[in-house]
Amino acid sequence: MSTPEKKVKNAIKRILKEEGVYYFMPSTGGFGRSGVPDFVCCVKGHFIAIEAKAGNNMTTALQDREILAIQTAGGVAFVVNEDNIDLVSLHIRWAKTLPT
């Protein structure tokens, strides 16, 4: 049985694949950097990171730190759940309009 967050991640994957976006899902497994968003993407040379949550679940302090660091570096990072999943498509389409 799929968890609510897994359903959100599957929806994000479906959108990324439909839009032809390069992405990967970092796995820290105790060796990587904690708090890194669930999806790291490149859209026409632009960095986008997506953190998936379900329902009213909130980001952790480590996730907030990583999202802020990405934004400070000039990347795009945001949190989506089942209610605002359309943000993924909006950000991808916006990035595709930018010069490389």
mmCIF file of all heavy atoms in Angstrom, residues 32-65:
data_model
loop_
_atom_site.group_PDB
_atom_site.id
_atom_site.type_symbol
_atom_site.label_atom_id
_atom_site.label_comp_id
_atom_site.label_asym_id
_atom_site.label_seq_id
_atom_site.Cartn_x
_atom_site.Cartn_y
_atom_site.Cartn_z
ATOM 1 N N GLY A 32 24.764 10.806 2.900
ATOM 2 C CA GLY A 32 24.588 12.048 2.148
ATOM 3 C C GLY A 32 24.281 13.210 3.067
ATOM 4 O O GLY A 32 24.352 13.124 4.289
ATOM 5 N N ARG A 33 23.911 14.286 2.453
ATOM 6 C CA ARG A 33 23.594 15.517 3.166
ATOM 7 C C ARG A 33 22.123 15.498 3.579
ATOM 8 O O ARG A 33 21.238 15.412 2.736
ATOM 9 C CB ARG A 33 23.875 16.689 2.242
ATOM 10 C CG ARG A 33 23.779 18.019 2.882
ATOM 11 C CD ARG A 33 24.330 19.026 1.910
ATOM 12 N NE ARG A 33 24.133 20.354 2.385
ATOM 13 C CZ ARG A 33 24.864 21.369 2.003
ATOM 14 N NH1 ARG A 33 25.815 21.181 1.110
ATOM 15 N NH2 ARG A 33 24.641 22.558 2.479
ATOM 16 N N SER A 34 21.850 15.586 4.844
ATOM 17 C CA SER A 34 20.483 15.542 5.356
ATOM 18 C C SER A 34 19.718 16.801 4.970
ATOM 19 O O SER A 34 20.279 17.889 4.932
ATOM 20 C CB SER A 34 20.488 15.397 6.876
ATOM 21 O OG SER A 34 21.056 14.160 7.234
ATOM 22 N N GLY A 35 18.436 16.622 4.681
ATOM 23 C CA GLY A 35 17.569 17.747 4.386
ATOM 24 C C GLY A 35 17.471 18.111 2.923
ATOM 25 O O GLY A 35 16.696 18.987 2.549
ATOM 26 N N VAL A 36 18.254 17.453 2.058
ATOM 27 C CA VAL A 36 18.208 17.740 0.627
ATOM 28 C C VAL A 36 16.807 17.395 0.110
ATOM 29 O O VAL A 36 16.246 16.369 0.486
ATOM 30 C CB VAL A 36 19.287 16.936 -0.128
ATOM 31 C CG1 VAL A 36 19.145 17.095 -1.629
ATOM 32 C CG2 VAL A 36 20.666 17.359 0.323
ATOM 33 N N PRO A 37 16.232 18.257 -0.744
ATOM 34 C CA PRO A 37 14.884 17.977 -1.252
ATOM 35 C C PRO A 37 14.782 16.626 -1.964
ATOM 36 O O PRO A 37 15.782 16.081 -2.437
ATOM 37 C CB PRO A 37 14.633 19.139 -2.223
ATOM 38 C CG PRO A 37 15.461 20.256 -1.682
ATOM 39 C CD PRO A 37 16.708 19.577 -1.180
ATOM 40 N N ASP A 38 13.569 16.128 -2.071
ATOM 41 C CA ASP A 38 13.309 14.812 -2.650
ATOM 42 C C ASP A 38 13.667 14.706 -4.128
ATOM 43 O O ASP A 38 14.051 13.642 -4.591
ATOM 44 C CB ASP A 38 11.832 14.452 -2.476
ATOM 45 C CG ASP A 38 11.444 14.293 -1.025
ATOM 46 O OD1 ASP A 38 12.169 13.582 -0.305
ATOM 47 O OD2 ASP A 38 10.424 14.873 -0.607
ATOM 48 N N PHE A 39 13.520 15.800 -4.868
ATOM 49 C CA PHE A 39 13.801 15.805 -6.301
ATOM 50 C C PHE A 39 14.775 16.924 -6.624
ATOM 51 O O PHE A 39 14.569 18.067 -6.217
ATOM 52 C CB PHE A 39 12.521 16.039 -7.116
ATOM 53 C CG PHE A 39 11.520 14.936 -7.003
ATOM 54 C CD1 PHE A 39 10.612 14.907 -5.957
ATOM 55 C CD2 PHE A 39 11.475 13.921 -7.948
ATOM 56 C CE1 PHE A 39 9.681 13.889 -5.849
ATOM 57 C CE2 PHE A 39 10.550 12.898 -7.849
ATOM 58 C CZ PHE A 39 9.657 12.879 -6.794
ATOM 59 N N VAL A 40 15.807 16.589 -7.356
ATOM 60 C CA VAL A 40 16.768 17.568 -7.864
ATOM 61 C C VAL A 40 16.632 17.521 -9.386
ATOM 62 O O VAL A 40 16.782 16.455 -9.991
ATOM 63 C CB VAL A 40 18.200 17.235 -7.421
ATOM 64 C CG1 VAL A 40 19.196 18.187 -8.038
ATOM 65 C CG2 VAL A 40 18.287 17.264 -5.889
ATOM 66 N N CYS A 41 16.317 18.663 -9.981
ATOM 67 C CA CYS A 41 15.973 18.712 -11.405
ATOM 68 C C CYS A 41 16.791 19.761 -12.145
ATOM 69 O O CYS A 41 17.236 20.749 -11.551
ATOM 70 C CB CYS A 41 14.506 19.090 -11.580
ATOM 71 S SG CYS A 41 13.348 18.193 -10.541
ATOM 72 N N CYS A 42 16.918 19.533 -13.444
ATOM 73 C CA CYS A 42 17.522 20.527 -14.324
ATOM 74 C C CYS A 42 16.568 20.726 -15.494
ATOM 75 O O CYS A 42 16.233 19.774 -16.195
ATOM 76 C CB CYS A 42 18.888 20.059 -14.815
ATOM 77 S SG CYS A 42 19.744 21.320 -15.781
ATOM 78 N N VAL A 43 16.119 21.960 -15.666
ATOM 79 C CA VAL A 43 15.192 22.313 -16.733
ATOM 80 C C VAL A 43 15.830 23.395 -17.583
ATOM 81 O O VAL A 43 16.011 24.523 -17.119
ATOM 82 C CB VAL A 43 13.847 22.822 -16.174
ATOM 83 C CG1 VAL A 43 12.906 23.211 -17.305
ATOM 84 C CG2 VAL A 43 13.209 21.792 -15.255
ATOM 85 N N LYS A 44 16.244 23.019 -18.775
ATOM 86 C CA LYS A 44 16.858 23.966 -19.711
ATOM 87 C C LYS A 44 18.006 24.728 -19.037
ATOM 88 O O LYS A 44 18.157 25.926 -19.188
ATOM 89 C CB LYS A 44 15.799 24.922 -20.264
ATOM 90 C CG LYS A 44 16.207 25.630 -21.531
ATOM 91 C CD LYS A 44 15.088 26.512 -22.032
ATOM 92 C CE LYS A 44 15.630 27.487 -23.058
ATOM 93 N NZ LYS A 44 14.668 28.533 -23.371
ATOM 94 N N GLY A 45 18.786 24.004 -18.255
ATOM 95 C CA GLY A 45 19.945 24.589 -17.592
ATOM 96 C C GLY A 45 19.654 25.256 -16.266
ATOM 97 O O GLY A 45 20.551 25.827 -15.653
ATOM 98 N N HIS A 46 18.426 25.186 -15.793
ATOM 99 C CA HIS A 46 18.040 25.836 -14.542
ATOM 100 C C HIS A 46 17.784 24.799 -13.458
ATOM 101 O O HIS A 46 17.162 23.763 -13.702
ATOM 102 C CB HIS A 46 16.811 26.717 -14.767
ATOM 103 C CG HIS A 46 17.022 27.764 -15.801
ATOM 104 N ND1 HIS A 46 17.749 28.906 -15.563
ATOM 105 C CD2 HIS A 46 16.666 27.812 -17.104
ATOM 106 C CE1 HIS A 46 17.812 29.626 -16.663
ATOM 107 N NE2 HIS A 46 17.158 28.984 -17.616
ATOM 108 N N PHE A 47 18.264 25.102 -12.253
ATOM 109 C CA PHE A 47 18.198 24.195 -11.107
ATOM 110 C C PHE A 47 16.861 24.348 -10.388
ATOM 111 O O PHE A 47 16.499 25.451 -9.980
ATOM 112 C CB PHE A 47 19.350 24.519 -10.152
ATOM 113 C CG PHE A 47 19.467 23.583 -8.997
ATOM 114 C CD1 PHE A 47 20.315 22.490 -9.069
ATOM 115 C CD2 PHE A 47 18.760 23.796 -7.829
ATOM 116 C CE1 PHE A 47 20.441 21.618 -7.987
ATOM 117 C CE2 PHE A 47 18.872 22.938 -6.756
ATOM 118 C CZ PHE A 47 19.720 21.849 -6.838
ATOM 119 N N ILE A 48 16.153 23.235 -10.234
ATOM 120 C CA ILE A 48 14.896 23.221 -9.490
ATOM 121 C C ILE A 48 14.929 22.039 -8.523
ATOM 122 O O ILE A 48 15.271 20.927 -8.905
ATOM 123 C CB ILE A 48 13.678 23.081 -10.429
ATOM 124 C CG1 ILE A 48 13.583 24.292 -11.367
ATOM 125 C CG2 ILE A 48 12.389 22.922 -9.627
ATOM 126 C CD1 ILE A 48 12.459 24.200 -12.378
ATOM 127 N N ALA A 49 14.556 22.303 -7.276
ATOM 128 C CA ALA A 49 14.490 21.252 -6.260
ATOM 129 C C ALA A 49 13.084 21.233 -5.675
ATOM 130 O O ALA A 49 12.488 22.284 -5.434
ATOM 131 C CB ALA A 49 15.517 21.491 -5.166
ATOM 132 N N ILE A 50 12.577 20.036 -5.462
ATOM 133 C CA ILE A 50 11.205 19.883 -4.981
ATOM 134 C C ILE A 50 11.185 18.974 -3.755
ATOM 135 O O ILE A 50 11.708 17.861 -3.792
ATOM 136 C CB ILE A 50 10.306 19.259 -6.076
ATOM 137 C CG1 ILE A 50 10.404 20.059 -7.375
ATOM 138 C CG2 ILE A 50 8.867 19.155 -5.585
ATOM 139 C CD1 ILE A 50 9.864 19.314 -8.584
ATOM 140 N N GLU A 51 10.572 19.453 -2.694
ATOM 141 C CA GLU A 51 10.354 18.658 -1.496
ATOM 142 C C GLU A 51 8.887 18.222 -1.487
ATOM 143 O O GLU A 51 7.981 19.064 -1.611
ATOM 144 C CB GLU A 51 10.660 19.464 -0.238
ATOM 145 C CG GLU A 51 10.399 18.747 1.060
ATOM 146 C CD GLU A 51 11.224 17.481 1.236
ATOM 147 O OE1 GLU A 51 12.388 17.436 0.792
ATOM 148 O OE2 GLU A 51 10.701 16.520 1.830
ATOM 149 N N ALA A 52 8.635 16.929 -1.384
ATOM 150 C CA ALA A 52 7.275 16.390 -1.381
ATOM 151 C C ALA A 52 6.801 16.169 0.050
ATOM 152 O O ALA A 52 7.526 15.620 0.877
ATOM 153 C CB ALA A 52 7.233 15.080 -2.156
ATOM 154 N N LYS A 53 5.596 16.602 0.308
ATOM 155 C CA LYS A 53 4.949 16.365 1.600
ATOM 156 C C LYS A 53 3.526 15.914 1.332
ATOM 157 O O LYS A 53 2.988 16.132 0.249
ATOM 158 C CB LYS A 53 4.935 17.643 2.453
ATOM 159 C CG LYS A 53 6.296 18.099 2.915
ATOM 160 C CD LYS A 53 6.896 17.116 3.866
ATOM 161 C CE LYS A 53 8.261 17.559 4.352
ATOM 162 N NZ LYS A 53 8.897 16.523 5.145
ATOM 163 N N ALA A 54 2.900 15.327 2.312
ATOM 164 C CA ALA A 54 1.498 14.925 2.193
ATOM 165 C C ALA A 54 0.689 15.654 3.250
ATOM 166 O O ALA A 54 1.164 15.866 4.372
ATOM 167 C CB ALA A 54 1.356 13.423 2.369
ATOM 168 N N GLY A 55 -0.494 16.066 2.862
ATOM 169 C CA GLY A 55 -1.392 16.715 3.814
ATOM 170 C C GLY A 55 -0.786 17.953 4.427
ATOM 171 O O GLY A 55 -0.215 18.787 3.736
ATOM 172 N N ASN A 56 -0.876 18.024 5.743
ATOM 173 C CA ASN A 56 -0.366 19.187 6.468
ATOM 174 C C ASN A 56 1.049 18.982 7.003
ATOM 175 O O ASN A 56 1.499 19.751 7.847
ATOM 176 C CB ASN A 56 -1.306 19.532 7.633
ATOM 177 C CG ASN A 56 -2.654 19.993 7.156
ATOM 178 O OD1 ASN A 56 -2.757 20.642 6.111
ATOM 179 N ND2 ASN A 56 -3.700 19.665 7.891
ATOM 180 N N ASN A 57 1.725 17.939 6.557
ATOM 181 C CA ASN A 57 3.095 17.697 7.024
ATOM 182 C C ASN A 57 3.972 18.887 6.700
ATOM 183 O O ASN A 57 3.859 19.487 5.636
ATOM 184 C CB ASN A 57 3.668 16.428 6.394
ATOM 185 C CG ASN A 57 3.044 15.179 6.956
ATOM 186 O OD1 ASN A 57 2.390 15.215 7.988
ATOM 187 N ND2 ASN A 57 3.214 14.073 6.272
ATOM 188 N N MET A 58 4.841 19.218 7.602
ATOM 189 C CA MET A 58 5.703 20.389 7.478
ATOM 190 C C MET A 58 7.153 19.950 7.230
ATOM 191 O O MET A 58 7.539 18.839 7.574
ATOM 192 C CB MET A 58 5.643 21.223 8.772
ATOM 193 C CG MET A 58 4.242 21.664 9.167
ATOM 194 S SD MET A 58 3.505 22.803 7.991
ATOM 195 C CE MET A 58 4.485 24.237 8.300
ATOM 196 N N THR A 59 7.925 20.853 6.663
ATOM 197 C CA THR A 59 9.347 20.587 6.465
ATOM 198 C C THR A 59 10.063 20.633 7.805
ATOM 199 O O THR A 59 9.638 21.305 8.735
ATOM 200 C CB THR A 59 9.970 21.630 5.521
ATOM 201 O OG1 THR A 59 9.672 22.945 6.008
ATOM 202 C CG2 THR A 59 9.467 21.480 4.101
ATOM 203 N N THR A 60 11.191 19.922 7.851
ATOM 204 C CA THR A 60 12.026 19.940 9.052
ATOM 205 C C THR A 60 12.963 21.146 8.984
ATOM 206 O O THR A 60 13.108 21.784 7.931
ATOM 207 C CB THR A 60 12.881 18.666 9.144
ATOM 208 O OG1 THR A 60 13.817 18.667 8.056
ATOM 209 C CG2 THR A 60 12.019 17.406 9.098
ATOM 210 N N ALA A 61 13.617 21.431 10.076
ATOM 211 C CA ALA A 61 14.587 22.532 10.097
ATOM 212 C C ALA A 61 15.709 22.281 9.088
ATOM 213 O O ALA A 61 16.163 23.218 8.409
ATOM 214 C CB ALA A 61 15.158 22.704 11.506
ATOM 215 N N LEU A 62 16.159 21.037 8.961
ATOM 216 C CA LEU A 62 17.205 20.717 7.982
ATOM 217 C C LEU A 62 16.707 20.942 6.552
ATOM 218 O O LEU A 62 17.440 21.451 5.699
ATOM 219 C CB LEU A 62 17.666 19.269 8.139
ATOM 220 C CG LEU A 62 18.548 18.971 9.348
ATOM 221 C CD1 LEU A 62 18.795 17.471 9.464
ATOM 222 C CD2 LEU A 62 19.860 19.713 9.246
ATOM 223 N N GLN A 63 15.483 20.561 6.276
ATOM 224 C CA GLN A 63 14.914 20.784 4.946
ATOM 225 C C GLN A 63 14.771 22.278 4.658
ATOM 226 O O GLN A 63 15.090 22.732 3.554
ATOM 227 C CB GLN A 63 13.572 20.071 4.812
ATOM 228 C CG GLN A 63 13.703 18.564 4.778
ATOM 229 C CD GLN A 63 12.386 17.843 4.926
ATOM 230 O OE1 GLN A 63 11.443 18.335 5.551
ATOM 231 N NE2 GLN A 63 12.299 16.648 4.348
ATOM 232 N N ASP A 64 14.327 23.032 5.650
ATOM 233 C CA ASP A 64 14.224 24.486 5.488
ATOM 234 C C ASP A 64 15.595 25.092 5.187
ATOM 235 O O ASP A 64 15.712 25.977 4.325
ATOM 236 C CB ASP A 64 13.642 25.135 6.742
ATOM 237 C CG ASP A 64 12.171 24.826 6.946
ATOM 238 O OD1 ASP A 64 11.490 24.447 5.965
ATOM 239 O OD2 ASP A 64 11.700 24.963 8.094
ATOM 240 N N ARG A 65 16.621 24.618 5.868
ATOM 241 C CA ARG A 65 17.980 25.112 5.643
ATOM 242 C C ARG A 65 18.421 24.851 4.216
ATOM 243 O O ARG A 65 18.975 25.725 3.552
ATOM 244 C CB ARG A 65 18.944 24.457 6.632
ATOM 245 C CG ARG A 65 20.400 24.926 6.464
ATOM 246 C CD ARG A 65 21.375 24.021 7.169
ATOM 247 N NE ARG A 65 21.433 22.752 6.436
ATOM 248 C CZ ARG A 65 21.965 21.635 6.910
ATOM 249 N NH1 ARG A 65 22.466 21.600 8.114
ATOM 250 N NH2 ARG A 65 21.996 20.542 6.179
#
